[in-house]
PDB file of all heavy atoms in Angstrom:
ATOM      1  N   PRO A 386      84.791   9.969 -10.643  1.00 87.00           N
ATOM      2  CA  PRO A 386      86.080  10.468 -10.995  1.00 87.00           C
ATOM      3  C   PRO A 386      86.534  11.627 -10.109  1.00 87.00           C
ATOM      4  O   PRO A 386      87.762  11.880  -9.995  1.00 87.00           O
ATOM      5  CB  PRO A 386      85.972  10.978 -12.434  1.00 87.00           C
ATOM      6  CG  PRO A 386      84.351  10.970 -12.634  1.00 87.00           C
ATOM      7  CD  PRO A 386      83.799  10.037 -11.790  1.00 87.00           C
ATOM      8  N   MET A 387      85.636  12.338  -9.434  1.00 87.00           N
ATOM      9  CA  MET A 387      86.084  13.261  -8.629  1.00 87.00           C
ATOM     10  C   MET A 387      86.769  12.718  -7.471  1.00 87.00           C
ATOM     11  O   MET A 387      87.750  13.366  -6.925  1.00 87.00           O
ATOM     12  CB  MET A 387      84.797  14.171  -8.080  1.00 87.00           C
ATOM     13  CG  MET A 387      84.067  15.168  -9.055  1.00 87.00           C
ATOM     14  SD  MET A 387      82.927  16.134  -8.177  1.00 87.00           S
ATOM     15  CE  MET A 387      84.070  17.244  -7.192  1.00 87.00           C
ATOM     16  N   LEU A 388      86.367  11.606  -7.032  1.00 88.00           N
ATOM     17  CA  LEU A 388      87.031  10.926  -5.854  1.00 88.00           C
ATOM     18  C   LEU A 388      88.433  10.425  -6.247  1.00 88.00           C
ATOM     19  O   LEU A 388      89.415  10.733  -5.698  1.00 88.00           O
ATOM     20  CB  LEU A 388      86.222   9.764  -5.423  1.00 88.00           C
ATOM     21  CG  LEU A 388      86.843   8.887  -4.278  1.00 88.00           C
ATOM     22  CD1 LEU A 388      87.120   9.656  -3.015  1.00 88.00           C
ATOM     23  CD2 LEU A 388      85.853   7.658  -3.925  1.00 88.00           C
ATOM     24  N   ARG A 389      88.408   9.732  -7.447  1.00 84.00           N
ATOM     25  CA  ARG A 389      89.815   9.159  -7.870  1.00 84.00           C
ATOM     26  C   ARG A 389      90.717  10.184  -8.196  1.00 84.00           C
ATOM     27  O   ARG A 389      91.870  10.236  -7.705  1.00 84.00           O
ATOM     28  CB  ARG A 389      89.444   8.217  -9.049  1.00 84.00           C
ATOM     29  CG  ARG A 389      90.769   7.657  -9.608  1.00 84.00           C
ATOM     30  CD  ARG A 389      91.263   6.474  -8.772  1.00 84.00           C
ATOM     31  NE  ARG A 389      90.521   5.274  -8.921  1.00 84.00           N
ATOM     32  CZ  ARG A 389      90.650   4.139  -8.358  1.00 84.00           C
ATOM     33  NH1 ARG A 389      91.443   4.078  -7.322  1.00 84.00           N
ATOM     34  NH2 ARG A 389      89.823   3.097  -8.478  1.00 84.00           N
ATOM     35  N   GLN A 390      90.326  11.116  -9.144  1.00 84.00           N
ATOM     36  CA  GLN A 390      91.333  12.218  -9.742  1.00 84.00           C
ATOM     37  C   GLN A 390      91.513  13.230  -8.635  1.00 84.00           C
ATOM     38  O   GLN A 390      92.628  13.803  -8.559  1.00 84.00           O
ATOM     39  CB  GLN A 390      90.755  12.750 -11.013  1.00 84.00           C
ATOM     40  CG  GLN A 390      90.624  11.752 -12.062  1.00 84.00           C
ATOM     41  CD  GLN A 390      89.781  12.380 -13.314  1.00 84.00           C
ATOM     42  OE1 GLN A 390      89.904  13.641 -13.522  1.00 84.00           O
ATOM     43  NE2 GLN A 390      89.158  11.591 -14.069  1.00 84.00           N
ATOM     44  N   GLY A 391      90.417  13.579  -7.760  1.00 84.00           N
ATOM     45  CA  GLY A 391      90.558  14.623  -6.821  1.00 84.00           C
ATOM     46  C   GLY A 391      91.650  14.451  -5.812  1.00 84.00           C
ATOM     47  O   GLY A 391      92.352  15.451  -5.632  1.00 84.00           O
ATOM     48  N   VAL A 392      91.720  13.213  -5.327  1.00 84.00           N
ATOM     49  CA  VAL A 392      92.787  13.031  -4.189  1.00 84.00           C
ATOM     50  C   VAL A 392      94.169  13.089  -4.903  1.00 84.00           C
ATOM     51  O   VAL A 392      95.159  13.605  -4.285  1.00 84.00           O
ATOM     52  CB  VAL A 392      92.476  11.685  -3.603  1.00 84.00           C
ATOM     53  CG1 VAL A 392      93.712  11.348  -2.686  1.00 84.00           C
ATOM     54  CG2 VAL A 392      91.150  11.644  -2.822  1.00 84.00           C
ATOM     55  N   HIS A 393      94.298  12.607  -6.083  1.00 83.00           N
ATOM     56  CA  HIS A 393      95.544  12.726  -6.858  1.00 83.00           C
ATOM     57  C   HIS A 393      95.880  14.124  -7.029  1.00 83.00           C
ATOM     58  O   HIS A 393      97.103  14.537  -6.833  1.00 83.00           O
ATOM     59  CB  HIS A 393      95.525  11.928  -8.179  1.00 83.00           C
ATOM     60  CG  HIS A 393      96.539  12.103  -9.025  1.00 83.00           C
ATOM     61  ND1 HIS A 393      97.868  11.671  -8.864  1.00 83.00           N
ATOM     62  CD2 HIS A 393      96.649  12.886 -10.153  1.00 83.00           C
ATOM     63  CE1 HIS A 393      98.676  12.020  -9.827  1.00 83.00           C
ATOM     64  NE2 HIS A 393      97.968  12.786 -10.665  1.00 83.00           N
ATOM     65  N   LEU A 394      94.960  14.850  -7.437  1.00 84.00           N
ATOM     66  CA  LEU A 394      95.223  16.382  -7.596  1.00 84.00           C
ATOM     67  C   LEU A 394      95.570  17.068  -6.359  1.00 84.00           C
ATOM     68  O   LEU A 394      96.323  18.066  -6.410  1.00 84.00           O
ATOM     69  CB  LEU A 394      94.075  17.061  -8.393  1.00 84.00           C
ATOM     70  CG  LEU A 394      93.780  16.520  -9.813  1.00 84.00           C
ATOM     71  CD1 LEU A 394      92.568  17.257 -10.297  1.00 84.00           C
ATOM     72  CD2 LEU A 394      94.886  16.876 -10.814  1.00 84.00           C
ATOM     73  N   ALA A 395      94.874  16.723  -5.320  1.00 82.00           N
ATOM     74  CA  ALA A 395      95.209  17.427  -3.961  1.00 82.00           C
ATOM     75  C   ALA A 395      96.645  17.126  -3.649  1.00 82.00           C
ATOM     76  O   ALA A 395      97.356  17.889  -3.002  1.00 82.00           O
ATOM     77  CB  ALA A 395      94.260  16.830  -3.057  1.00 82.00           C
ATOM     78  N   MET A 396      97.184  16.001  -3.902  1.00 83.00           N
ATOM     79  CA  MET A 396      98.582  15.640  -3.494  1.00 83.00           C
ATOM     80  C   MET A 396      99.658  15.993  -4.536  1.00 83.00           C
ATOM     81  O   MET A 396     100.796  16.246  -4.086  1.00 83.00           O
ATOM     82  CB  MET A 396      98.655  14.077  -3.251  1.00 83.00           C
ATOM     83  CG  MET A 396      97.737  13.466  -2.108  1.00 83.00           C
ATOM     84  SD  MET A 396      98.190  11.872  -1.634  1.00 83.00           S
ATOM     85  CE  MET A 396      97.536  10.921  -3.072  1.00 83.00           C
ATOM     86  N   ASP A 397      99.246  16.132  -5.814  1.00 82.00           N
ATOM     87  CA  ASP A 397     100.263  16.412  -6.851  1.00 82.00           C
ATOM     88  C   ASP A 397      99.875  17.472  -7.907  1.00 82.00           C
ATOM     89  O   ASP A 397     100.663  17.836  -8.764  1.00 82.00           O
ATOM     90  CB  ASP A 397     100.510  15.049  -7.616  1.00 82.00           C
ATOM     91  CG  ASP A 397     101.246  14.049  -6.714  1.00 82.00           C
ATOM     92  OD1 ASP A 397     102.253  14.382  -6.201  1.00 82.00           O
ATOM     93  OD2 ASP A 397     100.690  12.973  -6.642  1.00 82.00           O
ATOM     94  N   GLY A 398      98.596  17.843  -7.946  1.00 79.00           N
ATOM     95  CA  GLY A 398      98.205  18.705  -9.196  1.00 79.00           C
ATOM     96  C   GLY A 398      98.534  20.143  -8.932  1.00 79.00           C
ATOM     97  O   GLY A 398      98.878  20.689  -7.911  1.00 79.00           O
ATOM     98  N   SER A 399      98.489  20.702 -10.246  1.00 81.00           N
ATOM     99  CA  SER A 399      98.849  22.256 -10.245  1.00 81.00           C
ATOM    100  C   SER A 399      97.644  23.005  -9.956  1.00 81.00           C
ATOM    101  O   SER A 399      96.523  22.433  -9.843  1.00 81.00           O
ATOM    102  CB  SER A 399      99.295  22.553 -11.629  1.00 81.00           C
ATOM    103  OG  SER A 399      98.366  22.252 -12.692  1.00 81.00           O
ATOM    104  N   ALA A 400      97.740  24.374  -9.782  1.00 79.00           N
ATOM    105  CA  ALA A 400      96.535  25.189  -9.499  1.00 79.00           C
ATOM    106  C   ALA A 400      95.521  25.054 -10.664  1.00 79.00           C
ATOM    107  O   ALA A 400      94.311  25.046 -10.366  1.00 79.00           O
ATOM    108  CB  ALA A 400      97.030  26.560  -9.362  1.00 79.00           C
ATOM    109  N   ARG A 401      96.075  24.987 -11.851  1.00 77.00           N
ATOM    110  CA  ARG A 401      95.054  24.903 -13.087  1.00 77.00           C
ATOM    111  C   ARG A 401      94.367  23.634 -13.032  1.00 77.00           C
ATOM    112  O   ARG A 401      93.192  23.513 -13.301  1.00 77.00           O
ATOM    113  CB  ARG A 401      95.873  25.014 -14.288  1.00 77.00           C
ATOM    114  CG  ARG A 401      95.040  25.029 -15.579  1.00 77.00           C
ATOM    115  CD  ARG A 401      95.878  25.200 -16.867  1.00 77.00           C
ATOM    116  NE  ARG A 401      96.783  24.066 -16.954  1.00 77.00           N
ATOM    117  CZ  ARG A 401      96.383  22.817 -17.467  1.00 77.00           C
ATOM    118  NH1 ARG A 401      95.178  22.663 -17.758  1.00 77.00           N
ATOM    119  NH2 ARG A 401      97.344  21.898 -17.584  1.00 77.00           N
ATOM    120  N   GLU A 402      95.098  22.548 -12.702  1.00 78.00           N
ATOM    121  CA  GLU A 402      94.470  21.096 -12.629  1.00 78.00           C
ATOM    122  C   GLU A 402      93.516  21.215 -11.439  1.00 78.00           C
ATOM    123  O   GLU A 402      92.519  20.391 -11.641  1.00 78.00           O
ATOM    124  CB  GLU A 402      95.643  20.113 -12.441  1.00 78.00           C
ATOM    125  CG  GLU A 402      96.390  19.956 -13.727  1.00 78.00           C
ATOM    126  CD  GLU A 402      97.680  18.999 -13.455  1.00 78.00           C
ATOM    127  OE1 GLU A 402      98.098  18.947 -12.311  1.00 78.00           O
ATOM    128  OE2 GLU A 402      97.998  18.339 -14.357  1.00 78.00           O
ATOM    129  N   LEU A 403      93.713  21.737 -10.420  1.00 80.00           N
ATOM    130  CA  LEU A 403      92.767  21.739  -9.294  1.00 80.00           C
ATOM    131  C   LEU A 403      91.437  22.399  -9.591  1.00 80.00           C
ATOM    132  O   LEU A 403      90.373  22.059  -9.143  1.00 80.00           O
ATOM    133  CB  LEU A 403      93.399  22.461  -8.093  1.00 80.00           C
ATOM    134  CG  LEU A 403      94.457  21.699  -7.234  1.00 80.00           C
ATOM    135  CD1 LEU A 403      95.183  22.653  -6.301  1.00 80.00           C
ATOM    136  CD2 LEU A 403      93.833  20.489  -6.523  1.00 80.00           C
ATOM    137  N   SER A 404      91.495  23.462 -10.574  1.00 78.00           N
ATOM    138  CA  SER A 404      90.217  24.049 -10.994  1.00 78.00           C
ATOM    139  C   SER A 404      89.283  23.093 -11.773  1.00 78.00           C
ATOM    140  O   SER A 404      88.106  23.330 -11.775  1.00 78.00           O
ATOM    141  CB  SER A 404      90.586  25.281 -11.858  1.00 78.00           C
ATOM    142  OG  SER A 404      91.207  24.812 -13.075  1.00 78.00           O
ATOM    143  N   GLU A 405      89.915  21.975 -12.170  1.00 80.00           N
ATOM    144  CA  GLU A 405      89.133  20.948 -12.855  1.00 80.00           C
ATOM    145  C   GLU A 405      88.015  20.347 -11.905  1.00 80.00           C
ATOM    146  O   GLU A 405      86.961  19.960 -12.349  1.00 80.00           O
ATOM    147  CB  GLU A 405      90.065  19.904 -13.362  1.00 80.00           C
ATOM    148  CG  GLU A 405      89.298  18.786 -14.199  1.00 80.00           C
ATOM    149  CD  GLU A 405      88.808  19.216 -15.555  1.00 80.00           C
ATOM    150  OE1 GLU A 405      88.979  20.253 -15.941  1.00 80.00           O
ATOM    151  OE2 GLU A 405      88.128  18.316 -16.125  1.00 80.00           O
ATOM    152  N   LEU A 406      88.418  20.278 -10.551  1.00 83.00           N
ATOM    153  CA  LEU A 406      87.416  19.831  -9.698  1.00 83.00           C
ATOM    154  C   LEU A 406      86.212  20.659  -9.636  1.00 83.00           C
ATOM    155  O   LEU A 406      85.110  20.125  -9.369  1.00 83.00           O
ATOM    156  CB  LEU A 406      88.169  19.690  -8.250  1.00 83.00           C
ATOM    157  CG  LEU A 406      89.099  18.507  -7.993  1.00 83.00           C
ATOM    158  CD1 LEU A 406      89.814  18.706  -6.687  1.00 83.00           C
ATOM    159  CD2 LEU A 406      88.327  17.224  -8.070  1.00 83.00           C
ATOM    160  N   SER A 407      86.377  21.950  -9.621  1.00 82.00           N
ATOM    161  CA  SER A 407      85.133  22.791  -9.761  1.00 82.00           C
ATOM    162  C   SER A 407      84.272  22.599 -10.816  1.00 82.00           C
ATOM    163  O   SER A 407      83.120  22.609 -10.691  1.00 82.00           O
ATOM    164  CB  SER A 407      85.683  24.233  -9.672  1.00 82.00           C
ATOM    165  OG  SER A 407      86.349  24.719  -8.484  1.00 82.00           O
ATOM    166  N   ARG A 408      84.858  22.289 -12.055  1.00 80.00           N
ATOM    167  CA  ARG A 408      84.065  22.051 -13.120  1.00 80.00           C
ATOM    168  C   ARG A 408      83.301  20.777 -13.005  1.00 80.00           C
ATOM    169  O   ARG A 408      82.161  20.573 -13.402  1.00 80.00           O
ATOM    170  CB  ARG A 408      85.124  21.964 -14.439  1.00 80.00           C
ATOM    171  CG  ARG A 408      84.223  21.687 -15.703  1.00 80.00           C
ATOM    172  CD  ARG A 408      85.176  21.228 -16.840  1.00 80.00           C
ATOM    173  NE  ARG A 408      85.827  19.937 -16.569  1.00 80.00           N
ATOM    174  CZ  ARG A 408      85.260  18.771 -16.692  1.00 80.00           C
ATOM    175  NH1 ARG A 408      83.984  18.639 -17.009  1.00 80.00           N
ATOM    176  NH2 ARG A 408      85.832  17.587 -16.433  1.00 80.00           N
ATOM    177  N   MET A 409      84.061  19.791 -12.509  1.00 83.00           N
ATOM    178  CA  MET A 409      83.367  18.458 -12.233  1.00 83.00           C
ATOM    179  C   MET A 409      82.202  18.547 -11.302  1.00 83.00           C
ATOM    180  O   MET A 409      81.123  17.958 -11.514  1.00 83.00           O
ATOM    181  CB  MET A 409      84.406  17.430 -11.793  1.00 83.00           C
ATOM    182  CG  MET A 409      85.555  17.082 -12.776  1.00 83.00           C
ATOM    183  SD  MET A 409      86.953  16.158 -12.119  1.00 83.00           S
ATOM    184  CE  MET A 409      86.187  14.637 -11.987  1.00 83.00           C
ATOM    185  N   ASP A 410      82.435  19.401 -10.246  1.00 84.00           N
ATOM    186  CA  ASP A 410      81.402  19.594  -9.306  1.00 84.00           C
ATOM    187  C   ASP A 410      80.175  20.327  -9.965  1.00 84.00           C
ATOM    188  O   ASP A 410      78.927  20.052  -9.622  1.00 84.00           O
ATOM    189  CB  ASP A 410      81.815  20.166  -8.083  1.00 84.00           C
ATOM    190  CG  ASP A 410      80.776  20.399  -7.034  1.00 84.00           C
ATOM    191  OD1 ASP A 410      80.279  19.392  -6.575  1.00 84.00           O
ATOM    192  OD2 ASP A 410      80.475  21.507  -6.548  1.00 84.00           O
ATOM    193  N   ARG A 411      80.437  21.251 -10.820  1.00 83.00           N
ATOM    194  CA  ARG A 411      79.406  21.984 -11.426  1.00 83.00           C
ATOM    195  C   ARG A 411      78.541  21.022 -12.275  1.00 83.00           C
ATOM    196  O   ARG A 411      77.269  21.122 -12.464  1.00 83.00           O
ATOM    197  CB  ARG A 411      79.958  23.103 -12.331  1.00 83.00           C
ATOM    198  CG  ARG A 411      80.304  24.320 -11.561  1.00 83.00           C
ATOM    199  CD  ARG A 411      80.545  25.504 -12.572  1.00 83.00           C
ATOM    200  NE  ARG A 411      81.397  25.354 -13.554  1.00 83.00           N
ATOM    201  CZ  ARG A 411      82.792  25.480 -13.503  1.00 83.00           C
ATOM    202  NH1 ARG A 411      83.264  25.968 -12.261  1.00 83.00           N
ATOM    203  NH2 ARG A 411      83.604  25.247 -14.389  1.00 83.00           N
ATOM    204  N   GLU A 412      79.234  20.064 -12.976  1.00 84.00           N
ATOM    205  CA  GLU A 412      78.458  18.990 -13.677  1.00 84.00           C
ATOM    206  C   GLU A 412      77.560  18.272 -12.719  1.00 84.00           C
ATOM    207  O   GLU A 412      76.437  17.932 -13.282  1.00 84.00           O
ATOM    208  CB  GLU A 412      79.481  18.176 -14.404  1.00 84.00           C
ATOM    209  CG  GLU A 412      80.179  18.774 -15.590  1.00 84.00           C
ATOM    210  CD  GLU A 412      81.053  17.723 -16.358  1.00 84.00           C
ATOM    211  OE1 GLU A 412      81.179  16.599 -15.935  1.00 84.00           O
ATOM    212  OE2 GLU A 412      81.693  18.179 -17.341  1.00 84.00           O
ATOM    213  N   VAL A 413      78.067  17.923 -11.663  1.00 87.00           N
ATOM    214  CA  VAL A 413      77.091  17.166 -10.663  1.00 87.00           C
ATOM    215  C   VAL A 413      75.924  18.026 -10.409  1.00 87.00           C
ATOM    216  O   VAL A 413      74.719  17.565 -10.421  1.00 87.00           O
ATOM    217  CB  VAL A 413      77.879  16.820  -9.451  1.00 87.00           C
ATOM    218  CG1 VAL A 413      76.899  16.190  -8.476  1.00 87.00           C
ATOM    219  CG2 VAL A 413      79.023  15.858  -9.713  1.00 87.00           C
ATOM    220  N   GLY A 414      76.200  19.257 -10.203  1.00 85.00           N
ATOM    221  CA  GLY A 414      75.052  20.149  -9.769  1.00 85.00           C
ATOM    222  C   GLY A 414      74.141  20.366 -10.942  1.00 85.00           C
ATOM    223  O   GLY A 414      72.924  20.615 -10.764  1.00 85.00           O
ATOM    224  N   MET A 415      74.593  20.358 -12.209  1.00 84.00           N
ATOM    225  CA  MET A 415      73.835  20.588 -13.326  1.00 84.00           C
ATOM    226  C   MET A 415      72.819  19.363 -13.548  1.00 84.00           C
ATOM    227  O   MET A 415      71.748  19.542 -14.186  1.00 84.00           O
ATOM    228  CB  MET A 415      74.614  20.674 -14.647  1.00 84.00           C
ATOM    229  CG  MET A 415      75.348  22.047 -14.643  1.00 84.00           C
ATOM    230  SD  MET A 415      76.699  22.045 -15.979  1.00 84.00           S
ATOM    231  CE  MET A 415      75.673  21.945 -17.448  1.00 84.00           C
ATOM    232  N   LEU A 416      72.998  18.337 -12.942  1.00 88.00           N
ATOM    233  CA  LEU A 416      72.098  17.214 -12.906  1.00 88.00           C
ATOM    234  C   LEU A 416      71.266  17.230 -11.675  1.00 88.00           C
ATOM    235  O   LEU A 416      70.073  16.861 -11.774  1.00 88.00           O
ATOM    236  CB  LEU A 416      72.845  15.846 -13.047  1.00 88.00           C
ATOM    237  CG  LEU A 416      73.586  15.675 -14.345  1.00 88.00           C
ATOM    238  CD1 LEU A 416      74.324  14.381 -14.400  1.00 88.00           C
ATOM    239  CD2 LEU A 416      72.658  15.673 -15.555  1.00 88.00           C
ATOM    240  N   HIS A 417      71.799  17.565 -10.562  1.00 89.00           N
ATOM    241  CA  HIS A 417      71.171  17.613  -9.296  1.00 89.00           C
ATOM    242  C   HIS A 417      69.941  18.550  -9.288  1.00 89.00           C
ATOM    243  O   HIS A 417      68.845  18.039  -8.843  1.00 89.00           O
ATOM    244  CB  HIS A 417      72.043  17.931  -8.154  1.00 89.00           C
ATOM    245  CG  HIS A 417      71.489  17.941  -6.750  1.00 89.00           C
ATOM    246  ND1 HIS A 417      71.387  18.986  -6.023  1.00 89.00           N
ATOM    247  CD2 HIS A 417      70.876  16.860  -6.151  1.00 89.00           C
ATOM    248  CE1 HIS A 417      70.810  18.701  -4.791  1.00 89.00           C
ATOM    249  NE2 HIS A 417      70.467  17.335  -4.956  1.00 89.00           N
ATOM    250  N   GLY A 418      70.037  19.776  -9.741  1.00 87.00           N
ATOM    251  CA  GLY A 418      68.956  20.716  -9.842  1.00 87.00           C
ATOM    252  C   GLY A 418      67.752  20.238 -10.504  1.00 87.00           C
ATOM    253  O   GLY A 418      66.665  20.248 -10.037  1.00 87.00           O
ATOM    254  N   PRO A 419      67.960  19.847 -11.726  1.00 88.00           N
ATOM    255  CA  PRO A 419      66.815  19.328 -12.517  1.00 88.00           C
ATOM    256  C   PRO A 419      66.096  18.056 -11.962  1.00 88.00           C
ATOM    257  O   PRO A 419      64.913  17.889 -12.105  1.00 88.00           O
ATOM    258  CB  PRO A 419      67.415  18.921 -13.983  1.00 88.00           C
ATOM    259  CG  PRO A 419      68.567  19.896 -14.002  1.00 88.00           C
ATOM    260  CD  PRO A 419      69.242  20.040 -12.599  1.00 88.00           C
ATOM    261  N   ILE A 420      66.988  17.280 -11.290  1.00 92.00           N
ATOM    262  CA  ILE A 420      66.338  16.037 -10.540  1.00 92.00           C
ATOM    263  C   ILE A 420      65.387  16.565  -9.505  1.00 92.00           C
ATOM    264  O   ILE A 420      64.310  16.029  -9.383  1.00 92.00           O
ATOM    265  CB  ILE A 420      67.411  15.070 -10.099  1.00 92.00           C
ATOM    266  CG1 ILE A 420      68.151  14.389 -11.161  1.00 92.00           C
ATOM    267  CG2 ILE A 420      66.825  14.141  -9.048  1.00 92.00           C
ATOM    268  CD1 ILE A 420      69.362  13.593 -10.785  1.00 92.00           C
ATOM    269  N   LEU A 421      65.868  17.514  -8.654  1.00 91.00           N
ATOM    270  CA  LEU A 421      64.938  18.022  -7.544  1.00 91.00           C
ATOM    271  C   LEU A 421      63.646  18.619  -8.236  1.00 91.00           C
ATOM    272  O   LEU A 421      62.579  18.447  -7.706  1.00 91.00           O
ATOM    273  CB  LEU A 421      65.810  19.041  -6.807  1.00 91.00           C
ATOM    274  CG  LEU A 421      66.978  18.575  -6.087  1.00 91.00           C
ATOM    275  CD1 LEU A 421      67.450  19.569  -5.130  1.00 91.00           C
ATOM    276  CD2 LEU A 421      66.827  17.223  -5.319  1.00 91.00           C
ATOM    277  N   ASP A 422      63.920  19.380  -9.208  1.00 89.00           N
ATOM    278  CA  ASP A 422      62.757  19.982  -9.897  1.00 89.00           C
ATOM    279  C   ASP A 422      61.719  18.991 -10.376  1.00 89.00           C
ATOM    280  O   ASP A 422      60.562  19.135 -10.299  1.00 89.00           O
ATOM    281  CB  ASP A 422      63.150  20.973 -11.065  1.00 89.00           C
ATOM    282  CG  ASP A 422      63.932  22.222 -10.490  1.00 89.00           C
ATOM    283  OD1 ASP A 422      63.881  22.512  -9.377  1.00 89.00           O
ATOM    284  OD2 ASP A 422      64.701  22.722 -11.344  1.00 89.00           O
ATOM    285  N   TYR A 423      62.307  17.922 -10.999  1.00 91.00           N
ATOM    286  CA  TYR A 423      61.493  16.856 -11.595  1.00 91.00           C
ATOM    287  C   TYR A 423      60.680  16.221 -10.564  1.00 91.00           C
ATOM    288  O   TYR A 423      59.460  15.893 -10.671  1.00 91.00           O
ATOM    289  CB  TYR A 423      62.357  15.983 -12.363  1.00 91.00           C
ATOM    290  CG  TYR A 423      61.559  14.936 -13.234  1.00 91.00           C
ATOM    291  CD1 TYR A 423      61.092  15.342 -14.518  1.00 91.00           C
ATOM    292  CD2 TYR A 423      61.438  13.580 -12.816  1.00 91.00           C
ATOM    293  CE1 TYR A 423      60.467  14.464 -15.288  1.00 91.00           C
ATOM    294  CE2 TYR A 423      60.841  12.676 -13.624  1.00 91.00           C
ATOM    295  CZ  TYR A 423      60.327  13.063 -14.809  1.00 91.00           C
ATOM    296  OH  TYR A 423      59.591  12.193 -15.706  1.00 91.00           O
ATOM    297  N   LEU A 424      61.381  15.866  -9.397  1.00 93.00           N
ATOM    298  CA  LEU A 424      60.686  15.273  -8.225  1.00 93.00           C
ATOM    299  C   LEU A 424      59.747  16.042  -7.631  1.00 93.00           C
ATOM    300  O   LEU A 424      58.624  15.714  -7.168  1.00 93.00           O
ATOM    301  CB  LEU A 424      61.774  14.858  -7.278  1.00 93.00           C
ATOM    302  CG  LEU A 424      62.629  13.616  -7.696  1.00 93.00           C
ATOM    303  CD1 LEU A 424      63.800  13.371  -6.702  1.00 93.00           C
ATOM    304  CD2 LEU A 424      61.866  12.321  -7.823  1.00 93.00           C
ATOM    305  N   ARG A 425      59.947  17.429  -7.587  1.00 90.00           N
ATOM    306  CA  ARG A 425      58.953  18.349  -7.007  1.00 90.00           C
ATOM    307  C   ARG A 425      57.616  18.387  -7.940  1.00 90.00           C
ATOM    308  O   ARG A 425      56.470  18.293  -7.391  1.00 90.00           O
ATOM    309  CB  ARG A 425      59.436  19.852  -6.905  1.00 90.00           C
ATOM    310  CG  ARG A 425      60.209  20.039  -5.598  1.00 90.00           C
ATOM    311  CD  ARG A 425      60.505  21.473  -5.441  1.00 90.00           C
ATOM    312  NE  ARG A 425      61.414  22.089  -6.348  1.00 90.00           N
ATOM    313  CZ  ARG A 425      62.663  22.110  -6.172  1.00 90.00           C
ATOM    314  NH1 ARG A 425      63.307  21.724  -5.040  1.00 90.00           N
ATOM    315  NH2 ARG A 425      63.442  22.707  -7.175  1.00 90.00           N
ATOM    316  N   GLU A 426      57.872  18.355  -9.237  1.00 90.00           N
ATOM    317  CA  GLU A 426      56.658  18.309 -10.154  1.00 90.00           C
ATOM    318  C   GLU A 426      55.869  16.952  -9.977  1.00 90.00           C
ATOM    319  O   GLU A 426      54.723  16.859  -9.985  1.00 90.00           O
ATOM    320  CB  GLU A 426      57.146  18.385 -11.620  1.00 90.00           C
ATOM    321  CG  GLU A 426      57.579  19.905 -12.000  1.00 90.00           C
ATOM    322  CD  GLU A 426      56.357  20.732 -11.898  1.00 90.00           C
ATOM    323  OE1 GLU A 426      55.322  20.531 -12.389  1.00 90.00           O
ATOM    324  OE2 GLU A 426      56.606  21.975 -11.240  1.00 90.00           O
ATOM    325  N   LEU A 427      56.739  15.858  -9.864  1.00 91.00           N
ATOM    326  CA  LEU A 427      56.100  14.557  -9.701  1.00 91.00           C
ATOM    327  C   LEU A 427      55.311  14.557  -8.330  1.00 91.00           C
ATOM    328  O   LEU A 427      54.300  13.890  -8.462  1.00 91.00           O
ATOM    329  CB  LEU A 427      57.200  13.524  -9.732  1.00 91.00           C
ATOM    330  CG  LEU A 427      56.789  12.100  -9.762  1.00 91.00           C
ATOM    331  CD1 LEU A 427      55.848  11.712 -10.940  1.00 91.00           C
ATOM    332  CD2 LEU A 427      57.976  11.123  -9.755  1.00 91.00           C
TER     333      LEU A 427
END
Side-chain angles (χ1 to χ4, degrees):
M387 283 191 72
L388 174 59
R389 177 79 75 187
Q390 298 173 28
V392 174
H393 169 72
L394 293 176
M396 293 190 293
D397 295 302
S399 64
R401 183 182 61 81
E402 289 172 331
L403 283 169
S404 64
E405 181 71 5
L406 282 171
S407 294
R408 183 195 63 78
M409 296 168 77
D410 185 55
R411 280 197 303 273
E412 290 185 354
V413 175
M415 289 167 68
L416 296 178
H417 182 240
I420 288 173
L421 298 190
D422 293 339
Y423 190 78
L424 287 172
R425 275 194 291 266
E426 287 296 315
L427 185 58

